[in-house]
mmCIF file of all heavy atoms in Angstrom:
data_model
loop_
_atom_site.group_PDB
_atom_site.id
_atom_site.type_symbol
_atom_site.label_atom_id
_atom_site.label_comp_id
_atom_site.label_asym_id
_atom_site.label_seq_id
_atom_site.Cartn_x
_atom_site.Cartn_y
_atom_site.Cartn_z
ATOM 1 N N HIS A 15 -0.970 -6.658 -8.221
ATOM 2 C CA HIS A 15 -2.174 -7.467 -8.431
ATOM 3 C C HIS A 15 -2.036 -8.713 -7.577
ATOM 4 O O HIS A 15 -1.125 -9.527 -7.767
ATOM 5 C CB HIS A 15 -2.315 -7.864 -9.904
ATOM 6 C CG HIS A 15 -3.515 -8.723 -10.160
ATOM 7 N ND1 HIS A 15 -4.807 -8.233 -10.172
ATOM 8 C CD2 HIS A 15 -3.617 -10.054 -10.382
ATOM 9 C CE1 HIS A 15 -5.650 -9.217 -10.409
ATOM 10 N NE2 HIS A 15 -4.958 -10.326 -10.532
ATOM 11 N N GLU A 16 -2.915 -8.856 -6.608
ATOM 12 C CA GLU A 16 -2.854 -9.971 -5.672
ATOM 13 C C GLU A 16 -3.692 -11.136 -6.187
ATOM 14 O O GLU A 16 -4.838 -10.957 -6.587
ATOM 15 C CB GLU A 16 -3.356 -9.522 -4.299
ATOM 16 C CG GLU A 16 -2.531 -8.388 -3.698
ATOM 17 C CD GLU A 16 -3.129 -7.853 -2.418
ATOM 18 O OE1 GLU A 16 -4.249 -8.307 -2.067
ATOM 19 O OE2 GLU A 16 -2.504 -6.996 -1.776
ATOM 20 N N ILE A 17 -3.120 -12.322 -6.162
ATOM 21 C CA ILE A 17 -3.807 -13.534 -6.594
ATOM 22 C C ILE A 17 -3.871 -14.489 -5.412
ATOM 23 O O ILE A 17 -2.832 -14.937 -4.913
ATOM 24 C CB ILE A 17 -3.074 -14.206 -7.776
ATOM 25 C CG1 ILE A 17 -2.912 -13.226 -8.928
ATOM 26 C CG2 ILE A 17 -3.826 -15.456 -8.237
ATOM 27 C CD1 ILE A 17 -2.063 -13.774 -10.061
ATOM 28 N N CYS A 18 -5.066 -14.793 -4.957
ATOM 29 C CA CYS A 18 -5.245 -15.700 -3.826
ATOM 30 C C CYS A 18 -5.273 -17.136 -4.352
ATOM 31 O O CYS A 18 -6.143 -17.501 -5.144
ATOM 32 C CB CYS A 18 -6.536 -15.374 -3.082
ATOM 33 S SG CYS A 18 -6.751 -16.321 -1.573
ATOM 34 N N VAL A 19 -4.312 -17.938 -3.931
ATOM 35 C CA VAL A 19 -4.169 -19.309 -4.429
ATOM 36 C C VAL A 19 -4.192 -20.279 -3.252
ATOM 37 O O VAL A 19 -3.532 -20.055 -2.230
ATOM 38 C CB VAL A 19 -2.846 -19.478 -5.215
ATOM 39 C CG1 VAL A 19 -2.714 -20.897 -5.745
ATOM 40 C CG2 VAL A 19 -2.772 -18.467 -6.345
ATOM 41 N N HIS A 20 -4.983 -21.341 -3.395
ATOM 42 C CA HIS A 20 -5.035 -22.378 -2.368
ATOM 43 C C HIS A 20 -3.685 -23.093 -2.305
ATOM 44 O O HIS A 20 -3.039 -23.302 -3.339
ATOM 45 C CB HIS A 20 -6.150 -23.380 -2.694
ATOM 46 C CG HIS A 20 -6.484 -24.279 -1.552
ATOM 47 N ND1 HIS A 20 -5.756 -25.410 -1.261
ATOM 48 C CD2 HIS A 20 -7.473 -24.209 -0.603
ATOM 49 C CE1 HIS A 20 -6.283 -26.007 -0.209
ATOM 50 N NE2 HIS A 20 -7.320 -25.292 0.206
ATOM 51 N N PRO A 21 -3.230 -23.492 -1.106
ATOM 52 C CA PRO A 21 -1.929 -24.163 -0.994
ATOM 53 C C PRO A 21 -1.788 -25.387 -1.891
ATOM 54 O O PRO A 21 -0.694 -25.674 -2.382
ATOM 55 C CB PRO A 21 -1.870 -24.552 0.490
ATOM 56 C CG PRO A 21 -2.729 -23.547 1.180
ATOM 57 C CD PRO A 21 -3.830 -23.227 0.222
ATOM 58 N N ASN A 22 -2.880 -26.110 -2.112
ATOM 59 C CA ASN A 22 -2.809 -27.291 -2.970
ATOM 60 C C ASN A 22 -2.507 -26.940 -4.417
ATOM 61 O O ASN A 22 -2.034 -27.773 -5.185
ATOM 62 C CB ASN A 22 -4.119 -28.073 -2.899
ATOM 63 C CG ASN A 22 -4.370 -28.664 -1.531
ATOM 64 O OD1 ASN A 22 -3.443 -28.805 -0.726
ATOM 65 N ND2 ASN A 22 -5.615 -28.992 -1.240
ATOM 66 N N ASP A 23 -2.809 -25.697 -4.813
ATOM 67 C CA ASP A 23 -2.623 -25.280 -6.200
ATOM 68 C C ASP A 23 -1.411 -24.378 -6.389
ATOM 69 O O ASP A 23 -1.136 -23.945 -7.496
ATOM 70 C CB ASP A 23 -3.863 -24.513 -6.704
ATOM 71 C CG ASP A 23 -5.110 -25.358 -6.657
ATOM 72 O OD1 ASP A 23 -4.978 -26.589 -6.822
ATOM 73 O OD2 ASP A 23 -6.208 -24.802 -6.441
ATOM 74 N N TRP A 24 -0.690 -24.078 -5.322
ATOM 75 C CA TRP A 24 0.380 -23.088 -5.438
ATOM 76 C C TRP A 24 1.481 -23.535 -6.395
ATOM 77 O O TRP A 24 1.943 -22.778 -7.233
ATOM 78 C CB TRP A 24 0.976 -22.811 -4.071
ATOM 79 C CG TRP A 24 2.194 -21.919 -4.162
ATOM 80 C CD1 TRP A 24 3.467 -22.228 -3.860
ATOM 81 C CD2 TRP A 24 2.213 -20.561 -4.610
ATOM 82 N NE1 TRP A 24 4.287 -21.163 -4.082
ATOM 83 C CE2 TRP A 24 3.555 -20.125 -4.553
ATOM 84 C CE3 TRP A 24 1.239 -19.681 -5.062
ATOM 85 C CZ2 TRP A 24 3.932 -18.839 -4.920
ATOM 86 C CZ3 TRP A 24 1.622 -18.400 -5.440
ATOM 87 C CH2 TRP A 24 2.945 -17.990 -5.360
ATOM 88 N N GLU A 25 1.908 -24.795 -6.311
ATOM 89 C CA GLU A 25 2.989 -25.259 -7.181
ATOM 90 C C GLU A 25 2.581 -25.179 -8.635
ATOM 91 O O GLU A 25 3.343 -24.722 -9.491
ATOM 92 C CB GLU A 25 3.379 -26.698 -6.820
ATOM 93 C CG GLU A 25 4.673 -27.180 -7.495
ATOM 94 C CD GLU A 25 5.891 -26.461 -6.951
ATOM 95 O OE1 GLU A 25 5.840 -25.980 -5.805
ATOM 96 O OE2 GLU A 25 6.879 -26.357 -7.684
ATOM 97 N N VAL A 26 1.335 -25.608 -8.926
ATOM 98 C CA VAL A 26 0.827 -25.547 -10.301
ATOM 99 C C VAL A 26 0.721 -24.105 -10.750
ATOM 100 O O VAL A 26 1.099 -23.744 -11.859
ATOM 101 C CB VAL A 26 -0.540 -26.252 -10.406
ATOM 102 C CG1 VAL A 26 -1.109 -26.097 -11.804
ATOM 103 C CG2 VAL A 26 -0.397 -27.723 -10.044
ATOM 104 N N LYS A 27 0.203 -23.251 -9.882
ATOM 105 C CA LYS A 27 0.030 -21.833 -10.228
ATOM 106 C C LYS A 27 1.381 -21.196 -10.524
ATOM 107 O O LYS A 27 1.553 -20.443 -11.481
ATOM 108 C CB LYS A 27 -0.641 -21.124 -9.061
ATOM 109 C CG LYS A 27 -1.107 -19.707 -9.373
ATOM 110 C CD LYS A 27 -2.378 -19.736 -10.194
ATOM 111 C CE LYS A 27 -2.951 -18.359 -10.356
ATOM 112 N NZ LYS A 27 -4.183 -18.341 -11.132
ATOM 113 N N ASN A 28 2.345 -21.516 -9.693
ATOM 114 C CA ASN A 28 3.668 -20.922 -9.846
ATOM 115 C C ASN A 28 4.308 -21.330 -11.154
ATOM 116 O O ASN A 28 4.975 -20.543 -11.815
ATOM 117 C CB ASN A 28 4.541 -21.366 -8.668
ATOM 118 C CG ASN A 28 5.756 -20.469 -8.490
ATOM 119 O OD1 ASN A 28 5.873 -19.441 -9.144
ATOM 120 N ND2 ASN A 28 6.638 -20.861 -7.602
ATOM 121 N N GLU A 29 4.091 -22.573 -11.583
ATOM 122 C CA GLU A 29 4.732 -23.080 -12.786
ATOM 123 C C GLU A 29 3.969 -22.716 -14.050
ATOM 124 O O GLU A 29 4.553 -22.375 -15.056
ATOM 125 C CB GLU A 29 4.844 -24.613 -12.720
ATOM 126 C CG GLU A 29 5.868 -25.089 -11.700
ATOM 127 C CD GLU A 29 5.990 -26.597 -11.730
ATOM 128 O OE1 GLU A 29 5.264 -27.213 -12.526
ATOM 129 O OE2 GLU A 29 6.788 -27.144 -10.972
ATOM 130 N N LYS A 30 2.639 -22.761 -14.011
ATOM 131 C CA LYS A 30 1.869 -22.738 -15.260
ATOM 132 C C LYS A 30 1.254 -21.390 -15.597
ATOM 133 O O LYS A 30 1.128 -21.065 -16.769
ATOM 134 C CB LYS A 30 0.750 -23.784 -15.195
ATOM 135 C CG LYS A 30 1.249 -25.197 -15.083
ATOM 136 C CD LYS A 30 0.123 -26.179 -14.987
ATOM 137 C CE LYS A 30 -0.730 -26.210 -16.218
ATOM 138 N NZ LYS A 30 -1.762 -27.243 -16.178
ATOM 139 N N ASN A 31 0.843 -20.607 -14.582
ATOM 140 C CA ASN A 31 0.012 -19.461 -14.899
ATOM 141 C C ASN A 31 0.598 -18.120 -14.487
ATOM 142 O O ASN A 31 0.091 -17.084 -14.881
ATOM 143 C CB ASN A 31 -1.365 -19.598 -14.231
ATOM 144 C CG ASN A 31 -2.119 -20.796 -14.755
ATOM 145 O OD1 ASN A 31 -1.948 -21.161 -15.895
ATOM 146 N ND2 ASN A 31 -2.921 -21.403 -13.918
ATOM 147 N N GLY A 32 1.641 -18.110 -13.687
ATOM 148 C CA GLY A 32 2.160 -16.860 -13.183
ATOM 149 C C GLY A 32 2.572 -15.896 -14.269
ATOM 150 O O GLY A 32 2.109 -14.762 -14.334
ATOM 151 N N TRP A 33 3.429 -16.344 -15.173
ATOM 152 C CA TRP A 33 3.896 -15.463 -16.234
ATOM 153 C C TRP A 33 2.772 -15.073 -17.171
ATOM 154 O O TRP A 33 2.687 -13.934 -17.627
ATOM 155 C CB TRP A 33 5.007 -16.140 -17.023
ATOM 156 C CG TRP A 33 6.313 -16.114 -16.315
ATOM 157 C CD1 TRP A 33 6.977 -17.166 -15.762
ATOM 158 C CD2 TRP A 33 7.133 -14.960 -16.041
ATOM 159 N NE1 TRP A 33 8.137 -16.747 -15.173
ATOM 160 C CE2 TRP A 33 8.268 -15.407 -15.331
ATOM 161 C CE3 TRP A 33 7.014 -13.602 -16.325
ATOM 162 C CZ2 TRP A 33 9.270 -14.533 -14.919
ATOM 163 C CZ3 TRP A 33 8.013 -12.741 -15.916
ATOM 164 C CH2 TRP A 33 9.124 -13.215 -15.220
ATOM 165 N N GLU A 34 1.855 -16.022 -17.460
ATOM 166 C CA GLU A 34 0.762 -15.720 -18.382
ATOM 167 C C GLU A 34 -0.112 -14.598 -17.834
ATOM 168 O O GLU A 34 -0.491 -13.689 -18.553
ATOM 169 C CB GLU A 34 -0.086 -16.975 -18.619
ATOM 170 C CG GLU A 34 0.657 -18.060 -19.372
ATOM 171 C CD GLU A 34 -0.164 -19.326 -19.455
ATOM 172 O OE1 GLU A 34 -0.311 -19.989 -18.425
ATOM 173 O OE2 GLU A 34 -0.648 -19.633 -20.539
ATOM 174 N N GLU A 35 -0.415 -14.632 -16.542
ATOM 175 C CA GLU A 35 -1.262 -13.605 -15.967
ATOM 176 C C GLU A 35 -0.575 -12.252 -15.976
ATOM 177 O O GLU A 35 -1.186 -11.226 -16.231
ATOM 178 C CB GLU A 35 -1.661 -14.010 -14.543
ATOM 179 C CG GLU A 35 -2.624 -15.187 -14.536
ATOM 180 C CD GLU A 35 -2.993 -15.606 -13.134
ATOM 181 O OE1 GLU A 35 -2.391 -15.079 -12.188
ATOM 182 O OE2 GLU A 35 -3.873 -16.452 -12.988
ATOM 183 N N LEU A 36 0.720 -12.247 -15.712
ATOM 184 C CA LEU A 36 1.440 -10.990 -15.731
ATOM 185 C C LEU A 36 1.509 -10.417 -17.135
ATOM 186 O O LEU A 36 1.344 -9.217 -17.347
ATOM 187 C CB LEU A 36 2.854 -11.200 -15.174
ATOM 188 C CG LEU A 36 2.898 -11.489 -13.660
ATOM 189 C CD1 LEU A 36 4.289 -11.969 -13.265
ATOM 190 C CD2 LEU A 36 2.543 -10.251 -12.865
ATOM 191 N N ILE A 37 1.744 -11.267 -18.112
ATOM 192 C CA ILE A 37 1.813 -10.813 -19.496
ATOM 193 C C ILE A 37 0.466 -10.272 -19.946
ATOM 194 O O ILE A 37 0.373 -9.255 -20.628
ATOM 195 C CB ILE A 37 2.265 -11.968 -20.406
ATOM 196 C CG1 ILE A 37 3.716 -12.337 -20.091
ATOM 197 C CG2 ILE A 37 2.131 -11.594 -21.880
ATOM 198 C CD1 ILE A 37 4.157 -13.627 -20.710
ATOM 199 N N ASP A 38 -0.624 -10.927 -19.562
ATOM 200 C CA ASP A 38 -1.949 -10.472 -19.949
ATOM 201 C C ASP A 38 -2.275 -9.092 -19.376
ATOM 202 O O ASP A 38 -3.188 -8.426 -19.836
ATOM 203 C CB ASP A 38 -3.014 -11.471 -19.479
ATOM 204 C CG ASP A 38 -3.005 -12.729 -20.315
ATOM 205 O OD1 ASP A 38 -2.385 -12.693 -21.397
ATOM 206 O OD2 ASP A 38 -3.584 -13.734 -19.885
ATOM 207 N N ARG A 39 -1.530 -8.663 -18.377
ATOM 208 C CA ARG A 39 -1.775 -7.346 -17.801
ATOM 209 C C ARG A 39 -0.941 -6.265 -18.464
ATOM 210 O O ARG A 39 -0.830 -5.168 -17.953
ATOM 211 C CB ARG A 39 -1.503 -7.385 -16.302
ATOM 212 C CG ARG A 39 -2.661 -8.041 -15.609
ATOM 213 C CD ARG A 39 -2.483 -8.200 -14.134
ATOM 214 N NE ARG A 39 -3.752 -8.528 -13.548
ATOM 215 C CZ ARG A 39 -4.329 -9.711 -13.632
ATOM 216 N NH1 ARG A 39 -3.731 -10.668 -14.260
ATOM 217 N NH2 ARG A 39 -5.502 -9.932 -13.104
ATOM 218 N N GLY A 40 -0.324 -6.538 -19.610
ATOM 219 C CA GLY A 40 0.304 -5.460 -20.358
ATOM 220 C C GLY A 40 1.671 -5.765 -20.905
ATOM 221 O O GLY A 40 2.002 -5.330 -21.982
ATOM 222 N N ALA A 41 2.499 -6.511 -20.195
ATOM 223 C CA ALA A 41 3.857 -6.761 -20.678
ATOM 224 C C ALA A 41 4.511 -7.776 -19.765
ATOM 225 O O ALA A 41 3.865 -8.364 -18.907
ATOM 226 C CB ALA A 41 4.658 -5.469 -20.703
ATOM 227 N N LYS A 42 5.804 -7.949 -19.969
ATOM 228 C CA LYS A 42 6.536 -8.858 -19.103
ATOM 229 C C LYS A 42 6.512 -8.325 -17.679
ATOM 230 O O LYS A 42 6.594 -7.130 -17.435
ATOM 231 C CB LYS A 42 7.988 -8.982 -19.569
ATOM 232 C CG LYS A 42 8.160 -9.678 -20.905
ATOM 233 C CD LYS A 42 9.626 -9.793 -21.243
ATOM 234 C CE LYS A 42 9.826 -10.488 -22.570
ATOM 235 N NZ LYS A 42 11.254 -10.591 -22.931
ATOM 236 N N GLY A 43 6.413 -9.232 -16.722
ATOM 237 C CA GLY A 43 6.415 -8.822 -15.329
ATOM 238 C C GLY A 43 7.380 -9.670 -14.541
ATOM 239 O O GLY A 43 8.055 -10.544 -15.075
ATOM 240 N N LEU A 44 7.446 -9.396 -13.264
ATOM 241 C CA LEU A 44 8.332 -10.156 -12.390
ATOM 242 C C LEU A 44 7.481 -10.935 -11.402
ATOM 243 O O LEU A 44 6.735 -10.347 -10.609
ATOM 244 C CB LEU A 44 9.274 -9.203 -11.643
ATOM 245 C CG LEU A 44 10.236 -9.857 -10.647
ATOM 246 C CD1 LEU A 44 11.154 -10.827 -11.372
ATOM 247 C CD2 LEU A 44 11.046 -8.798 -9.929
ATOM 248 N N LEU A 45 7.545 -12.249 -11.476
ATOM 249 C CA LEU A 45 6.794 -13.099 -10.560
ATOM 250 C C LEU A 45 7.602 -13.227 -9.269
ATOM 251 O O LEU A 45 8.656 -13.847 -9.243
ATOM 252 C CB LEU A 45 6.544 -14.473 -11.184
ATOM 253 C CG LEU A 45 5.748 -15.451 -10.331
ATOM 254 C CD1 LEU A 45 4.359 -14.909 -10.064
ATOM 255 C CD2 LEU A 45 5.662 -16.800 -11.019
ATOM 256 N N LEU A 46 7.107 -12.629 -8.192
ATOM 257 C CA LEU A 46 7.879 -12.545 -6.960
ATOM 258 C C LEU A 46 7.703 -13.760 -6.063
ATOM 259 O O LEU A 46 8.585 -14.078 -5.278
ATOM 260 C CB LEU A 46 7.481 -11.288 -6.186
ATOM 261 C CG LEU A 46 7.764 -9.959 -6.906
ATOM 262 C CD1 LEU A 46 7.219 -8.811 -6.094
ATOM 263 C CD2 LEU A 46 9.247 -9.793 -7.140
ATOM 264 N N GLY A 47 6.569 -14.436 -6.151
ATOM 265 C CA GLY A 47 6.365 -15.607 -5.311
ATOM 266 C C GLY A 47 5.511 -15.289 -4.107
ATOM 267 O O GLY A 47 4.510 -14.583 -4.197
ATOM 268 N N GLY A 48 5.909 -15.794 -2.934
ATOM 269 C CA GLY A 48 5.113 -15.649 -1.727
ATOM 270 C C GLY A 48 5.412 -14.370 -0.956
ATOM 271 O O GLY A 48 6.113 -13.462 -1.420
ATOM 272 N N PHE A 49 4.884 -14.313 0.279
ATOM 273 C CA PHE A 49 4.995 -13.109 1.102
ATOM 274 C C PHE A 49 6.455 -12.786 1.420
ATOM 275 O O PHE A 49 6.897 -11.638 1.310
ATOM 276 C CB PHE A 49 4.193 -13.310 2.390
ATOM 277 C CG PHE A 49 4.316 -12.182 3.374
ATOM 278 C CD1 PHE A 49 3.734 -10.958 3.112
ATOM 279 C CD2 PHE A 49 5.024 -12.353 4.547
ATOM 280 C CE1 PHE A 49 3.847 -9.912 4.014
ATOM 281 C CE2 PHE A 49 5.141 -11.309 5.460
ATOM 282 C CZ PHE A 49 4.551 -10.089 5.192
ATOM 283 N N GLY A 50 7.218 -13.805 1.805
ATOM 284 C CA GLY A 50 8.624 -13.586 2.134
ATOM 285 C C GLY A 50 9.419 -13.077 0.953
ATOM 286 O O GLY A 50 10.274 -12.188 1.090
#
Side-chain angles (χ1 to χ4, degrees):
H15 178 74
E16 300 174 354
I17 304 174
C18 186
V19 181
H20 193 278
N22 294 341
D23 299 329
W24 173 245
E25 191 69 25
V26 176
K27 190 76 172 180
N28 198 8
E29 289 183 359
K30 297 179 64 175
N31 297 329
W33 282 110
E34 293 174 288
E35 290 179 352
L36 290 168
I37 293 168
D38 286 345
R39 282 177 166 75
K42 292 182 180 179
L44 178 61
L45 181 62
L46 297 175
F49 175 70

